[in-house]
DNA sequence: ATGACTAAGTATCTTAGA
Protein backbone atom coordinates (compact mmCIF):
# COMPACT_ATOMS: atom_id res chain seq x y z
CA UNK A 1 0.00 0.00 0.00
CA UNK A 2 1.50 3.35 -1.01
CA UNK A 3 1.99 6.02 1.62
CA UNK A 4 3.37 9.54 2.03
CA UNK A 5 5.58 10.57 4.95
CA UNK A 6 6.48 14.08 6.04
CA UNK A 7 8.94 15.55 8.55
CA UNK A 8 8.74 19.05 10.07
CA UNK A 9 10.56 20.86 12.86
CA UNK A 10 7.51 22.66 14.26
CA UNK A 11 9.22 24.81 16.96
CA UNK A 12 6.45 24.35 19.55
CA UNK A 13 3.59 22.00 18.70
CA UNK A 14 1.19 23.76 21.06
CA UNK A 15 1.78 27.27 19.68
CA UNK A 16 1.65 25.97 16.11
CA UNK A 17 -1.07 23.33 16.36
CA UNK A 18 -3.17 25.34 13.84
CA UNK A 19 -0.28 25.18 11.36
CA UNK A 20 0.05 21.42 11.87
CA UNK A 21 -3.68 21.07 11.18
CA UNK A 22 -3.36 23.21 8.05
CA UNK A 23 -0.51 21.05 6.73
CA UNK A 24 -2.46 17.86 7.45
CA UNK A 25 -5.51 19.27 5.63
CA UNK A 26 -3.59 20.56 2.62
CA UNK A 27 -1.08 17.75 2.08
CA UNK A 28 -2.74 14.77 3.81
CA UNK A 29 0.45 12.80 4.46
CA UNK A 30 -0.16 9.37 5.98
CA UNK A 31 2.55 10.03 8.56
CA UNK A 32 3.88 13.33 9.95
CA UNK A 33 7.01 13.35 12.10
CA UNK A 34 7.49 16.47 14.24
CA UNK A 35 10.56 17.76 16.06
CA UNK A 36 11.03 20.49 18.69
CA UNK A 37 7.54 19.93 20.05
CA UNK A 38 8.71 21.70 23.24
CA UNK A 39 5.96 19.98 25.19
CA UNK A 40 5.39 17.12 27.60
CA UNK A 41 3.62 14.30 25.71
CA UNK A 42 0.40 14.71 27.72
CA UNK A 43 0.09 18.36 26.65
CA UNK A 44 0.37 17.69 22.90
CA UNK A 45 -3.04 18.61 21.39
CA UNK A 46 -3.54 15.13 19.95
CA UNK A 47 -7.35 15.37 19.83
CA UNK A 48 -7.13 18.12 17.21
CA UNK A 49 -4.96 15.85 15.05
CA UNK A 50 -7.15 12.79 15.68
CA UNK A 51 -10.15 14.78 14.45
CA UNK A 52 -8.41 14.98 11.06
CA UNK A 53 -7.85 11.22 10.94
CA UNK A 54 -4.46 11.11 12.67
CA UNK A 55 -5.66 8.80 15.41
CA UNK A 56 -2.24 7.29 16.16
CA UNK A 57 0.55 9.13 17.95
CA UNK A 58 3.89 7.99 19.29
CA UNK A 59 5.88 10.65 21.12
CA UNK A 60 8.63 11.50 23.57
CA UNK A 61 8.54 14.86 25.26
CA UNK A 62 9.91 17.10 27.97
CA UNK A 63 9.08 20.55 29.30
CA UNK A 64 10.25 23.45 27.18
CA UNK A 65 12.85 21.82 24.94
CA UNK A 66 13.28 19.11 22.31
CA UNK A 67 10.46 16.57 21.91
CA UNK A 68 9.55 14.36 18.94
CA UNK A 69 6.21 12.95 17.78
CA UNK A 70 4.92 10.68 15.01
CA UNK A 71 1.32 11.38 13.95
CA UNK A 72 -0.20 8.70 11.74
CA UNK A 73 -3.41 7.81 9.93
CA UNK A 74 -2.05 4.27 9.65
CA UNK A 75 -1.77 1.99 12.68
CA UNK A 76 1.72 2.25 14.12
CA UNK A 77 3.23 0.56 17.16
CA UNK A 78 6.02 1.77 19.40
CA UNK A 79 9.46 0.56 18.34
CA UNK A 80 11.68 2.15 20.96
CA UNK A 81 13.34 5.45 21.80
CA UNK A 82 17.07 5.99 22.25
CA UNK A 83 18.84 8.52 24.47
CA UNK A 84 22.05 8.76 22.45
CA UNK A 85 25.02 10.41 24.18
CA UNK A 86 23.12 10.02 27.48
CA UNK A 87 21.80 13.57 27.40
CA UNK A 88 18.45 12.72 28.98
CA UNK A 89 16.73 14.56 26.12
CA UNK A 90 13.61 13.56 24.12
CA UNK A 91 15.28 13.46 20.72
CA UNK A 92 14.24 10.12 19.20
CA UNK A 93 11.23 7.91 18.85
CA UNK A 94 10.57 4.98 16.52
CA UNK A 95 7.41 3.29 15.30
CA UNK A 96 6.56 0.27 13.15
CA UNK A 97 3.82 0.19 10.52
CA UNK A 98 1.75 -2.89 9.76
CA UNK A 99 3.66 -3.33 6.48
CA UNK A 100 6.81 -3.90 8.54
CA UNK A 101 8.41 -0.51 7.83
CA UNK A 102 10.15 1.08 10.82
CA UNK A 103 10.06 4.89 11.10
CA UNK A 104 12.83 6.67 13.04
CA UNK A 105 12.20 10.30 14.01
CA UNK A 106 15.32 12.18 15.20
CA UNK A 107 16.14 15.63 16.51
CA UNK A 108 19.96 15.84 16.55
CA UNK A 109 21.44 18.47 18.95
CA UNK A 110 22.04 21.86 17.35
CA UNK A 111 25.57 22.09 18.74
CA UNK A 112 25.84 25.67 20.00
CA UNK A 113 27.82 28.48 18.41
CA UNK A 114 31.51 27.53 18.44
CA UNK A 115 32.55 24.45 16.41
CA UNK A 116 35.14 23.30 18.97
CA UNK A 117 34.35 20.72 21.61
CA UNK A 118 37.19 21.99 23.81
CA UNK A 119 35.40 25.29 24.45
CA UNK A 120 31.77 24.40 23.61
CA UNK A 121 30.31 21.39 25.39
CA UNK A 122 27.25 21.38 23.13
CA UNK A 123 29.35 20.82 20.03
CA UNK A 124 30.90 17.75 21.66
CA UNK A 125 27.43 16.47 22.56
CA UNK A 126 26.32 16.84 18.94
CA UNK A 127 29.29 14.83 17.67
CA UNK A 128 28.81 12.22 20.40
CA UNK A 129 25.13 11.93 19.54
CA UNK A 130 26.00 11.19 15.90
CA UNK A 131 28.69 8.71 16.95
CA UNK A 132 26.20 6.84 19.14
CA UNK A 133 23.69 6.77 16.25
CA UNK A 134 26.43 5.34 14.04
CA UNK A 135 27.33 2.65 16.56
CA UNK A 136 23.68 1.69 17.05
CA UNK A 137 23.22 1.22 13.30
CA UNK A 138 26.48 -0.75 13.05
CA UNK A 139 25.35 -2.98 15.91
CA UNK A 140 21.91 -3.58 14.40
CA UNK A 141 21.78 -2.68 10.68
CA UNK A 142 18.32 -1.30 9.86
CA UNK A 143 16.07 -3.02 7.33
CA UNK A 144 12.87 -1.75 5.72
CA UNK A 145 13.36 1.52 7.56
CA UNK A 146 12.87 5.24 7.08
CA UNK A 147 14.86 7.82 9.03
CA UNK A 148 13.60 11.39 9.15
CA UNK A 149 14.17 14.46 11.19
CA UNK A 150 16.05 17.63 11.94
CA UNK A 151 19.63 16.34 11.77
CA UNK A 152 20.95 19.90 12.15
CA UNK A 153 23.62 19.37 9.47
CA UNK A 154 23.56 20.56 5.87
CA UNK A 155 26.05 18.14 4.29
CA UNK A 156 26.48 19.23 0.68
CA UNK A 157 27.73 22.38 -1.00
CA UNK A 158 24.29 22.67 -2.62
CA UNK A 159 22.61 22.26 0.77
CA UNK A 160 23.72 25.73 1.92
CA UNK A 161 23.51 29.21 0.43
CA UNK A 162 27.31 29.62 0.59
CA UNK A 163 29.60 26.65 1.14
CA UNK A 164 32.63 28.89 1.60
CA UNK A 165 30.99 31.23 4.10
CA UNK A 166 29.55 28.43 6.19
CA UNK A 167 32.60 26.14 6.45
CA UNK A 168 33.26 27.32 10.02
CA UNK A 169 29.59 27.73 10.96
CA UNK A 170 28.02 24.99 13.09
CA UNK A 171 25.79 22.83 10.84
CA UNK A 172 28.19 22.79 7.87
CA UNK A 173 31.68 22.18 9.32
CA UNK A 174 33.68 19.31 7.80
CA UNK A 175 33.82 17.42 11.12
CA UNK A 176 30.02 17.45 11.42
CA UNK A 177 29.57 16.39 7.81
CA UNK A 178 32.05 13.54 8.35
CA UNK A 179 30.14 12.36 11.45
CA UNK A 180 26.83 12.51 9.57
CA UNK A 181 28.30 10.57 6.64
CA UNK A 182 29.71 7.85 8.92
CA UNK A 183 26.33 7.50 10.58
CA UNK A 184 24.54 7.38 7.21
CA UNK A 185 26.96 4.75 5.96
CA UNK A 186 26.58 2.62 9.11
CA UNK A 187 22.89 2.19 8.30
CA UNK A 188 23.42 2.12 4.52
CA UNK A 189 20.86 4.96 4.45
CA UNK A 190 19.90 6.52 1.11
CA UNK A 191 19.17 10.27 1.06
CA UNK A 192 15.74 10.11 -0.61
CA UNK A 193 15.41 13.88 -1.07
CA UNK A 194 18.64 14.01 -3.07
CA UNK A 195 17.81 10.76 -4.87
CA UNK A 196 14.74 12.54 -6.26
CA UNK A 197 16.20 16.07 -6.55
CA UNK A 198 19.93 15.51 -7.21
CA UNK A 199 20.92 18.93 -8.49
CA UNK A 200 20.64 22.52 -7.39
CA UNK A 201 20.33 24.43 -4.15
CA UNK A 202 17.88 22.89 -1.72
CA UNK A 203 17.05 24.27 1.73
CA UNK A 204 14.65 23.36 4.53
CA UNK A 205 15.53 26.07 7.07
CA UNK A 206 15.79 29.87 6.93
CA UNK A 207 16.77 32.00 9.96
CA UNK A 208 14.15 34.11 11.71
CA UNK A 209 16.70 36.92 11.83
CA UNK A 210 16.73 37.88 8.18
CA UNK A 211 14.58 40.91 7.37
CA UNK A 212 13.20 39.07 4.35
CA UNK A 213 14.02 35.36 4.47
CA UNK A 214 12.57 34.74 1.02
CA UNK A 215 14.49 37.51 -0.74
CA UNK A 216 17.77 36.85 1.09
CA UNK A 217 17.30 33.08 0.62
CA UNK A 218 20.19 32.22 2.93
CA UNK A 219 18.95 28.76 3.72
CA UNK A 220 20.33 25.40 4.78
CA UNK A 221 19.05 21.83 4.26
CA UNK A 222 18.99 20.61 7.87
CA UNK A 223 15.94 18.37 7.63
CA UNK A 224 16.33 14.97 6.03
CA UNK A 225 14.37 11.96 4.79
CA UNK A 226 16.35 8.76 4.34
CA UNK A 227 15.50 5.10 3.68
CA UNK A 228 17.29 1.77 3.66
CA UNK A 229 18.26 0.34 0.21
CA UNK A 230 15.61 -2.42 0.37
CA UNK A 231 12.86 0.23 0.08
CA UNK A 232 14.69 3.25 -1.40
CA UNK A 233 13.66 2.19 -4.91
CA UNK A 234 10.02 2.52 -3.90
CA UNK A 235 10.47 6.19 -2.97
CA UNK A 236 9.44 9.03 -5.23
CA UNK A 237 7.93 12.53 -5.41
CA UNK A 238 10.19 14.18 -2.82
CA UNK A 239 9.30 17.79 -2.00
CA UNK A 240 10.32 20.54 0.39
CA UNK A 241 7.37 22.84 1.06
CA UNK A 242 9.14 26.19 0.94
CA UNK A 243 5.86 28.13 0.88
CA UNK A 244 5.04 26.86 4.39
CA UNK A 245 7.98 28.94 5.70
CA UNK A 246 5.92 31.94 4.54
CA UNK A 247 2.78 31.10 6.54
CA UNK A 248 1.66 33.40 9.37
CA UNK A 249 3.82 32.93 12.50
CA UNK A 250 5.80 30.15 10.82
CA UNK A 251 8.31 27.64 12.06
CA UNK A 252 11.80 28.48 10.77
CA UNK A 253 11.82 25.01 9.13
CA UNK A 254 9.84 23.83 6.10
CA UNK A 255 8.25 20.35 5.84
CA UNK A 256 10.04 17.65 3.81
CA UNK A 257 7.94 14.92 2.13
CA UNK A 258 8.32 11.73 0.11
CA UNK A 259 6.03 8.94 -1.06
CA UNK A 260 6.71 5.19 -1.07
CA UNK A 261 5.02 2.62 -3.31
CA UNK A 262 5.18 -0.46 -1.11
C1' DA B 1 27.05 41.35 8.01
C1' DT B 2 23.40 35.92 7.64
C1' DG B 3 21.99 39.88 11.11
C1' DA B 4 19.35 41.37 15.17
C1' DC B 5 14.28 37.08 15.58
C1' DT B 6 11.50 33.51 18.33
C1' DA B 7 9.81 30.31 22.25
C1' DA B 8 9.36 28.50 27.00
C1' DG B 9 9.86 28.95 31.71
C1' DT B 10 8.46 31.15 36.43
C1' DA B 11 9.57 35.26 33.73
C1' DT B 12 10.20 40.92 33.67
C1' DC B 13 15.35 38.09 32.27
C1' DT B 14 17.69 33.59 30.86
C1' DT B 15 18.57 29.83 27.90
C1' DA B 16 18.32 27.85 23.52
C1' DG B 17 17.86 27.68 18.73
C1' DA B 18 21.77 27.28 14.28
Amino acid sequence: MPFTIATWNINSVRLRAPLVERLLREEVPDILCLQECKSPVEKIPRDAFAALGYTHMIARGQKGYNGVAILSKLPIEEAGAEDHAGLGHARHVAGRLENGVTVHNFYVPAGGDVPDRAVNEKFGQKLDYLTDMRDAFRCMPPEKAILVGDLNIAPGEEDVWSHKQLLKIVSHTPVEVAHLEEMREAGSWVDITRQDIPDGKLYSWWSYRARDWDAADKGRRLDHLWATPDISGAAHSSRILRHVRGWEKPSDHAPVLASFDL
Side-chain angles (χ1 to χ4, degrees), chain A residues 90-125:
Chain A
R91 295 181 175 276
H92 171 252
V93 72
R96 191 164 298 113
L97 300 168
E98 287 181 335
N99 61 9
V101 170
T102 301
V103 176
H104 288 281
N105 181 12
F106 279 102
Y107 174 50
V108 172
D113 287 325
V114 183
D116 178 355
R117 67 186 307 156
V119 297
N120 170 21
E121 183 187 37
K122 288 184 199 164
F123 193 73
Q125 290 173 347

Side-chain angles (χ1 to χ4, degrees), chain A residues 18-239:
Chain A
L19 272 62
V20 173
E21 292 172 64
R22 181 172 172 188
L23 183 79
L24 296 175
R25 280 202 177 90
E26 291 187 7
E27 299 294 332
V28 201
D30 295 282
I31 301 149
L32 173 61
C33 297
L34 298 170
Q35 303 86 35
E36 279 207 271
C37 295
K38 296 186 175 179
S39 172
V41 173
E42 63 273 16
K43 290 190 176 176
I44 295 174
R46 60 182 300 167
D47 292 348
F49 309 141
L52 297 173
Y54 296 81
T55 52
H56 303 89
M57 184 178 89
I58 296 174
R60 290 294 184 277
Q62 61 186 94
K63 199 165 68 172
Y65 304 103
N66 310 315
V68 287
I70 303 175
L71 308 180
S72 179
K73 293 162 77 82
L74 306 171
I76 189 166
E77 65 175 26
E78 292 245 2
E82 300 294 337
D83 177 26
H84 294 312
L87 302 174
H89 296 172
R91 295 181 175 276
H92 171 252
V93 72
R96 191 164 298 113
L97 300 168
E98 287 181 335
N99 61 9
V101 170
T102 301
V103 176
H104 288 281
N105 181 12
F106 279 102
Y107 174 50
V108 172
D113 287 325
V114 183
D116 178 355
R117 67 186 307 156
V119 297
N120 170 21
E121 183 187 37
K122 288 184 199 164
F123 193 73
Q125 290 173 347
K126 181 179 195 174
L127 298 181
D128 292 346
Y129 193 93
L130 292 160
T131 298
D132 282 5
M133 284 176 74
R134 178 199 71 188
D135 291 346
F137 293 140
R138 275 187 187 162
C139 185
M140 189 172 289
E143 293 176 14
K144 281 190 77 175
I146 296 171
L147 183 158
V148 304
D150 178 1
L151 305 185
N152 266 317
I153 296 172
E157 296 192 17
E158 297 282 272
D159 296 330
V160 290
W161 65 274
S162 169
H163 170 61
K164 208 172 167 183
Q165 286 179 256
L166 289 173
L167 270 171
K168 291 179 179 173
I169 302 296
V170 173
S171 72
H172 191 62
T173 62
V175 64
E176 289 171 88
V177 173
H179 276 67
L180 184 75
E181 176 60 15
E182 274 200 13
M183 183 274 283
R184 191 196 58 72
E185 193 129 290
S188 302
W189 297 103
V190 177
D191 180 341
I192 298 300
T193 309
R194 276 304 185 187
Q195 172 178 278
D196 286 348
I197 313 168
D199 301 313
K201 296 286 190 182
L202 203 51
Y203 314 137
S204 66
W205 173 88
W206 294 261
S207 173
Y208 281 127
R209 296 186 187 186
R211 282 196 191 93
D212 183 341
W213 71 274
D214 193 35
D217 200 21
K218 289 174 173 171
R220 307 176 200 172
R221 189 168 70 102
L222 305 179
D223 302 274
H224 299 268
L225 199 163
W226 296 352
T228 47
D230 48 0
I231 61 168
S232 62
H236 62 92
S237 305
S238 289
R239 290 182 294 154

